[in-house]
Amino acid sequence: MQRQGSIGGSAAIRVRVTGGVLLVAHLALVAWLMLRPLDVPWVMPPNLRPLAGIRADLALGWPAAARPLGEGLALLAPLGVLLPLAHGRLAVSPLASLLRTAAAGALVSLGIALLQTGVPGRVVDVDSLLLNTAGVVLAHLAVVPAGRAWLRRRDAREPGTGAPVTVQEELSQGRTPTIPRVGIAP
């Protein structure tokens, strides 16, 4: 049996461990930033209409809208690179990788939004979920396909380093013995 498209040997372990450690560190930073209570005199009502907050930001003009939109895009954008890095596969469908990463980013963003409902001073904003997911997708599209292509080219230049890990199958030892059925005595 072969593990298709995975980086071979200790490089795979290093890449996956590095990706996992960076992923945990980033999620801890995001949790610290987004789940801290805010000391504010009043709180805006929750925004449950998609794109309403983005339209309101854009109505203020591009310079004023750049900061909140950029923050929304950048908050979870590293997940677009760290999730595939922690997965550690080279030969994977680009569309499947993008869909998996986008779904994971949307779920993380939804989890943060749901946890914020119990934090004083924080409210749910559906636009933050949309912006966070878009940031994950943009980061994935910008980095992951080029990084995988570079790693595949590097493995092709260096023979023996990129060979898939093979697991030797058990040799057949004949038919499995069966026990004849014995009737029950009266």
Side-chain angles (χ1 to χ4, degrees):
M1 178 185 336
Q2 290 183 346
R3 290 177 46 209
Q4 297 295 323
S6 125
I7 304 170
S10 64
I13 295 170
R14 285 195 306 263
V15 167
R16 286 181 177 169
V17 168
T18 302
V21 167
L22 291 174
L23 182 65
V24 168
H26 176 69
L27 289 176
L29 175 69
V30 168
W32 180 75
L33 287 173
M34 300 310 294
L35 300 177
R36 288 183 303 164
L38 295 178
D39 188 23
V40 292
W42 56 274
V43 178
M44 295 286 293
N47 174 22
L48 300 177
R49 288 187 345 188
L51 305 178
I54 295 173
R55 282 190 201 111
D57 288 339
L58 291 175
L60 299 174
W62 280 104
R67 181 178 174 161
L69 295 179
E71 287 174 353
L73 288 171
L75 180 66
L76 294 181
L79 292 182
V81 177
L82 294 176
L83 287 171
L85 185 67
H87 193 246
R89 294 187 62 172
L90 289 179
V92 65
S93 166
L95 181 61
S97 175
L98 177 65
L99 290 175
R100 251 191 324 267
T101 305
L107 287 174
V108 168
S109 182
L110 180 63
I112 290 169
L114 291 175
L115 288 173
Q116 282 181 335
T117 60
V119 178
R122 301 279 185 174
V123 294
V124 175
D125 185 7
V126 72
D127 291 336
S128 67
L129 186 129
L130 296 173
L131 286 172
N132 292 340
T133 304
V136 169
V137 168
L138 290 174
H140 183 88
L141 289 173
V143 176
V144 173
R148 283 185 176 148
W150 178 76
L151 286 171
R152 283 192 295 266
R153 281 193 311 269
R154 187 192 70 170
D155 287 347
R157 281 193 307 253
E158 300 171 9
T161 59
V165 178
T166 58
V167 178
Q168 199 171 27
E169 295 183 26
E170 266 186 45
L171 298 175
S172 174
Q173 297 179 0
R175 287 189 66 195
T176 304
T178 58
I179 300 172
R181 296 199 175 253
V182 177
I184 298 177

